[in-house]
mmCIF file of all heavy atoms in Angstrom:
data_model
loop_
_atom_site.group_PDB
_atom_site.id
_atom_site.type_symbol
_atom_site.label_atom_id
_atom_site.label_comp_id
_atom_site.label_asym_id
_atom_site.label_seq_id
_atom_site.Cartn_x
_atom_site.Cartn_y
_atom_site.Cartn_z
ATOM 1 N N GLY T 12 0.819 -1.207 0.000
ATOM 2 C CA GLY T 12 0.000 0.000 0.000
ATOM 3 C C GLY T 12 0.851 1.256 0.000
ATOM 4 O O GLY T 12 1.855 1.335 0.711
ATOM 5 N N ILE T 13 0.431 2.247 -0.799
ATOM 6 C CA ILE T 13 1.142 3.528 -0.868
ATOM 7 C C ILE T 13 0.495 4.532 0.083
ATOM 8 O O ILE T 13 1.147 5.095 0.959
ATOM 9 C CB ILE T 13 1.147 4.069 -2.309
ATOM 10 C CG1 ILE T 13 1.874 3.078 -3.235
ATOM 11 C CG2 ILE T 13 1.824 5.437 -2.368
ATOM 12 C CD1 ILE T 13 1.853 3.474 -4.689
ATOM 13 N N VAL T 14 -0.798 4.778 -0.118
ATOM 14 C CA VAL T 14 -1.525 5.699 0.759
ATOM 15 C C VAL T 14 -2.114 4.931 1.940
ATOM 16 O O VAL T 14 -1.835 5.226 3.098
ATOM 17 C CB VAL T 14 -2.630 6.434 -0.020
ATOM 18 C CG1 VAL T 14 -3.408 7.359 0.907
ATOM 19 C CG2 VAL T 14 -2.032 7.220 -1.184
ATOM 20 N N GLY T 15 -2.939 3.941 1.636
ATOM 21 C CA GLY T 15 -3.447 3.056 2.685
ATOM 22 C C GLY T 15 -2.478 1.915 2.901
ATOM 23 O O GLY T 15 -1.336 1.933 2.435
ATOM 24 N N ARG T 16 -2.935 0.920 3.597
ATOM 25 C CA ARG T 16 -2.084 -0.242 3.833
ATOM 26 C C ARG T 16 -2.932 -1.506 3.828
ATOM 27 O O ARG T 16 -4.106 -1.489 4.188
ATOM 28 C CB ARG T 16 -1.336 -0.133 5.155
ATOM 29 C CG ARG T 16 -2.235 -0.263 6.385
ATOM 30 C CD ARG T 16 -1.440 -0.208 7.665
ATOM 31 N NE ARG T 16 -2.275 -0.425 8.838
ATOM 32 C CZ ARG T 16 -1.840 -0.386 10.089
ATOM 33 N NH1 ARG T 16 -0.570 -0.141 10.320
ATOM 34 N NH2 ARG T 16 -2.666 -0.609 11.108
ATOM 35 N N ARG T 17 -2.316 -2.591 3.438
ATOM 36 C CA ARG T 17 -2.960 -3.902 3.433
ATOM 37 C C ARG T 17 -1.946 -4.910 3.931
ATOM 38 O O ARG T 17 -0.827 -4.982 3.408
ATOM 39 C CB ARG T 17 -3.438 -4.264 2.028
ATOM 40 C CG ARG T 17 -4.098 -5.639 1.927
ATOM 41 C CD ARG T 17 -4.690 -5.850 0.539
ATOM 42 N NE ARG T 17 -5.356 -7.133 0.429
ATOM 43 C CZ ARG T 17 -4.791 -8.232 -0.061
ATOM 44 N NH1 ARG T 17 -3.531 -8.203 -0.476
ATOM 45 N NH2 ARG T 17 -5.474 -9.366 -0.143
ATOM 46 N N VAL T 18 -2.330 -5.675 4.940
ATOM 47 C CA VAL T 18 -1.434 -6.660 5.526
ATOM 48 C C VAL T 18 -2.056 -8.046 5.387
ATOM 49 O O VAL T 18 -3.191 -8.267 5.823
ATOM 50 C CB VAL T 18 -1.155 -6.361 7.016
ATOM 51 C CG1 VAL T 18 -0.249 -7.439 7.611
ATOM 52 C CG2 VAL T 18 -0.516 -4.989 7.176
ATOM 53 N N VAL T 19 -1.331 -8.953 4.769
ATOM 54 C CA VAL T 19 -1.747 -10.346 4.647
ATOM 55 C C VAL T 19 -0.842 -11.173 5.547
ATOM 56 O O VAL T 19 0.389 -11.091 5.450
ATOM 57 C CB VAL T 19 -1.659 -10.835 3.191
ATOM 58 C CG1 VAL T 19 -2.061 -12.298 3.097
ATOM 59 C CG2 VAL T 19 -2.547 -9.983 2.290
ATOM 60 N N ARG T 20 -1.446 -11.962 6.411
ATOM 61 C CA ARG T 20 -0.686 -12.733 7.405
ATOM 62 C C ARG T 20 -1.063 -14.208 7.307
ATOM 63 O O ARG T 20 -2.245 -14.551 7.271
ATOM 64 C CB ARG T 20 -0.984 -12.192 8.810
ATOM 65 C CG ARG T 20 -0.258 -12.916 9.955
ATOM 66 C CD ARG T 20 -0.633 -12.246 11.271
ATOM 67 N NE ARG T 20 -0.187 -12.991 12.434
ATOM 68 C CZ ARG T 20 0.980 -12.823 13.042
ATOM 69 N NH1 ARG T 20 1.810 -11.899 12.587
ATOM 70 N NH2 ARG T 20 1.318 -13.538 14.102
ATOM 71 N N ALA T 21 -0.069 -15.051 7.254
ATOM 72 C CA ALA T 21 -0.280 -16.498 7.192
ATOM 73 C C ALA T 21 0.469 -17.148 8.354
ATOM 74 O O ALA T 21 1.676 -16.947 8.502
ATOM 75 C CB ALA T 21 0.206 -17.063 5.867
ATOM 76 N N ARG T 22 -0.253 -17.916 9.157
ATOM 77 C CA ARG T 22 0.375 -18.609 10.275
ATOM 78 C C ARG T 22 1.248 -19.754 9.758
ATOM 79 O O ARG T 22 0.826 -20.540 8.908
ATOM 80 C CB ARG T 22 -0.693 -19.152 11.220
ATOM 81 C CG ARG T 22 -1.485 -18.072 11.934
ATOM 82 C CD ARG T 22 -2.660 -18.665 12.660
ATOM 83 N NE ARG T 22 -2.264 -19.771 13.546
ATOM 84 C CZ ARG T 22 -3.121 -20.581 14.146
ATOM 85 N NH1 ARG T 22 -4.421 -20.454 13.929
ATOM 86 N NH2 ARG T 22 -2.684 -21.537 14.939
ATOM 87 N N LEU T 23 2.450 -19.854 10.282
ATOM 88 C CA LEU T 23 3.361 -20.909 9.830
ATOM 89 C C LEU T 23 2.837 -22.293 10.187
ATOM 90 O O LEU T 23 3.140 -23.266 9.495
ATOM 91 C CB LEU T 23 4.750 -20.699 10.449
ATOM 92 C CG LEU T 23 5.507 -19.436 10.016
ATOM 93 C CD1 LEU T 23 6.898 -19.431 10.605
ATOM 94 C CD2 LEU T 23 5.560 -19.310 8.507
ATOM 95 N N SER T 24 2.056 -22.396 11.262
ATOM 96 C CA SER T 24 1.508 -23.695 11.635
ATOM 97 C C SER T 24 0.496 -24.199 10.615
ATOM 98 O O SER T 24 0.179 -25.388 10.591
ATOM 99 C CB SER T 24 0.840 -23.609 13.008
ATOM 100 O OG SER T 24 -0.218 -22.660 13.007
ATOM 101 N N MET T 25 -0.020 -23.293 9.768
ATOM 102 C CA MET T 25 -1.007 -23.672 8.762
ATOM 103 C C MET T 25 -0.392 -23.847 7.371
ATOM 104 O O MET T 25 -1.103 -24.140 6.419
ATOM 105 C CB MET T 25 -2.107 -22.613 8.694
ATOM 106 C CG MET T 25 -2.822 -22.357 10.020
ATOM 107 S SD MET T 25 -3.622 -23.838 10.657
ATOM 108 C CE MET T 25 -4.920 -24.045 9.430
ATOM 109 N N VAL T 26 0.912 -23.658 7.243
ATOM 110 C CA VAL T 26 1.567 -23.775 5.937
ATOM 111 C C VAL T 26 1.585 -25.238 5.504
ATOM 112 O O VAL T 26 2.077 -26.107 6.217
ATOM 113 C CB VAL T 26 2.998 -23.215 5.995
ATOM 114 C CG1 VAL T 26 3.746 -23.529 4.703
ATOM 115 C CG2 VAL T 26 2.960 -21.708 6.223
ATOM 116 N N GLU T 27 1.016 -25.510 4.336
ATOM 117 C CA GLU T 27 0.974 -26.865 3.799
ATOM 118 C C GLU T 27 2.134 -27.138 2.844
ATOM 119 O O GLU T 27 2.556 -28.266 2.678
ATOM 120 C CB GLU T 27 -0.353 -27.100 3.075
ATOM 121 C CG GLU T 27 -1.578 -26.988 3.979
ATOM 122 C CD GLU T 27 -2.872 -27.185 3.220
ATOM 123 O OE1 GLU T 27 -2.821 -27.231 1.969
ATOM 124 O OE2 GLU T 27 -3.929 -27.295 3.859
ATOM 125 N N ASN T 28 2.622 -26.076 2.208
ATOM 126 C CA ASN T 28 3.717 -26.261 1.259
ATOM 127 C C ASN T 28 4.460 -24.935 1.119
ATOM 128 O O ASN T 28 3.855 -23.868 1.183
ATOM 129 C CB ASN T 28 3.179 -26.704 -0.104
ATOM 130 C CG ASN T 28 4.299 -27.011 -1.077
ATOM 131 O OD1 ASN T 28 5.330 -27.580 -0.699
ATOM 132 N ND2 ASN T 28 4.136 -26.621 -2.328
ATOM 133 N N SER T 29 5.752 -25.006 0.955
ATOM 134 C CA SER T 29 6.557 -23.809 0.724
ATOM 135 C C SER T 29 7.612 -24.124 -0.324
ATOM 136 O O SER T 29 8.112 -25.249 -0.391
ATOM 137 C CB SER T 29 7.215 -23.325 2.024
ATOM 138 O OG SER T 29 8.083 -24.314 2.538
ATOM 139 N N ALA T 30 7.927 -23.124 -1.123
ATOM 140 C CA ALA T 30 8.893 -23.320 -2.199
ATOM 141 C C ALA T 30 9.488 -21.977 -2.593
ATOM 142 O O ALA T 30 8.960 -20.917 -2.237
ATOM 143 C CB ALA T 30 8.224 -23.977 -3.405
ATOM 144 N N TYR T 31 10.583 -22.038 -3.316
ATOM 145 C CA TYR T 31 11.155 -20.808 -3.871
ATOM 146 C C TYR T 31 11.506 -21.055 -5.330
ATOM 147 O O TYR T 31 11.772 -22.189 -5.741
ATOM 148 C CB TYR T 31 12.393 -20.360 -3.082
ATOM 149 C CG TYR T 31 13.645 -21.157 -3.352
ATOM 150 C CD1 TYR T 31 14.572 -20.748 -4.314
ATOM 151 C CD2 TYR T 31 13.922 -22.333 -2.650
ATOM 152 C CE1 TYR T 31 15.715 -21.473 -4.564
ATOM 153 C CE2 TYR T 31 15.060 -23.061 -2.888
ATOM 154 C CZ TYR T 31 15.968 -22.623 -3.849
ATOM 155 O OH TYR T 31 17.105 -23.351 -4.102
ATOM 156 N N GLU T 32 11.469 -20.002 -6.105
ATOM 157 C CA GLU T 32 11.810 -20.105 -7.515
ATOM 158 C C GLU T 32 12.649 -18.916 -7.935
ATOM 159 O O GLU T 32 12.503 -17.817 -7.393
ATOM 160 C CB GLU T 32 10.538 -20.195 -8.372
ATOM 161 C CG GLU T 32 9.603 -19.010 -8.243
ATOM 162 C CD GLU T 32 8.367 -19.164 -9.118
ATOM 163 O OE1 GLU T 32 8.371 -20.083 -9.946
ATOM 164 O OE2 GLU T 32 7.432 -18.356 -8.975
ATOM 165 N N GLN T 33 13.521 -19.153 -8.894
ATOM 166 C CA GLN T 33 14.402 -18.118 -9.412
ATOM 167 C C GLN T 33 14.401 -18.167 -10.929
ATOM 168 O O GLN T 33 14.480 -19.250 -11.522
ATOM 169 C CB GLN T 33 15.831 -18.309 -8.887
ATOM 170 C CG GLN T 33 15.989 -18.091 -7.400
ATOM 171 C CD GLN T 33 17.409 -18.336 -6.931
ATOM 172 O OE1 GLN T 33 17.835 -19.494 -6.835
ATOM 173 N NE2 GLN T 33 18.147 -17.268 -6.657
ATOM 174 N N SER T 34 14.311 -17.007 -11.546
ATOM 175 C CA SER T 34 14.467 -16.917 -12.991
ATOM 176 C C SER T 34 15.951 -16.984 -13.332
ATOM 177 O O SER T 34 16.810 -17.128 -12.450
ATOM 178 C CB SER T 34 13.852 -15.612 -13.500
ATOM 179 O OG SER T 34 14.529 -14.502 -12.928
ATOM 180 N N VAL T 35 16.251 -16.878 -14.623
ATOM 181 C CA VAL T 35 17.656 -16.914 -15.037
ATOM 182 C C VAL T 35 18.419 -15.744 -14.426
ATOM 183 O O VAL T 35 19.504 -15.904 -13.856
ATOM 184 C CB VAL T 35 17.757 -16.890 -16.578
ATOM 185 C CG1 VAL T 35 19.218 -16.808 -17.009
ATOM 186 C CG2 VAL T 35 17.089 -18.120 -17.173
ATOM 187 N N THR T 36 17.841 -14.548 -14.525
ATOM 188 C CA THR T 36 18.506 -13.385 -13.935
ATOM 189 C C THR T 36 18.511 -13.482 -12.410
ATOM 190 O O THR T 36 19.456 -13.031 -11.760
ATOM 191 C CB THR T 36 17.795 -12.098 -14.371
ATOM 192 O OG1 THR T 36 16.391 -12.188 -14.030
ATOM 193 C CG2 THR T 36 17.934 -11.876 -15.863
ATOM 194 N N GLY T 37 17.458 -14.073 -11.840
ATOM 195 C CA GLY T 37 17.445 -14.248 -10.395
ATOM 196 C C GLY T 37 18.553 -15.151 -9.913
ATOM 197 O O GLY T 37 19.161 -14.911 -8.867
ATOM 198 N N SER T 38 18.840 -16.206 -10.672
ATOM 199 C CA SER T 38 19.940 -17.101 -10.312
ATOM 200 C C SER T 38 21.285 -16.397 -10.423
ATOM 201 O O SER T 38 22.190 -16.635 -9.616
ATOM 202 C CB SER T 38 19.913 -18.337 -11.214
ATOM 203 O OG SER T 38 18.711 -19.065 -11.064
ATOM 204 N N LEU T 39 21.406 -15.504 -11.413
ATOM 205 C CA LEU T 39 22.663 -14.780 -11.601
ATOM 206 C C LEU T 39 22.901 -13.754 -10.508
ATOM 207 O O LEU T 39 24.032 -13.587 -10.035
ATOM 208 C CB LEU T 39 22.679 -14.093 -12.969
ATOM 209 C CG LEU T 39 22.751 -15.012 -14.198
ATOM 210 C CD1 LEU T 39 22.620 -14.200 -15.476
ATOM 211 C CD2 LEU T 39 24.061 -15.802 -14.198
#
């Protein structure tokens, strides 16, 4: 948010799956 704000919160105890991804430039 720029003027207002928005917060999204996820409890770690409820996480079913987690992953990370990188593009070609991200890997570099």
Side-chain angles (χ1 to χ4, degrees):
I13 299 176
V14 178
R16 70 177 184 182
R17 179 173 182 264
V18 178
V19 178
R20 180 179 170 91
R22 293 170 53 190
L23 295 185
S24 60
M25 303 300 292
V26 171
E27 298 178 351
N28 185 39
S29 61
Y31 76 93
E32 60 180 349
Q33 293 178 285
S34 62
V35 175
T36 55
S38 299
L39 292 174

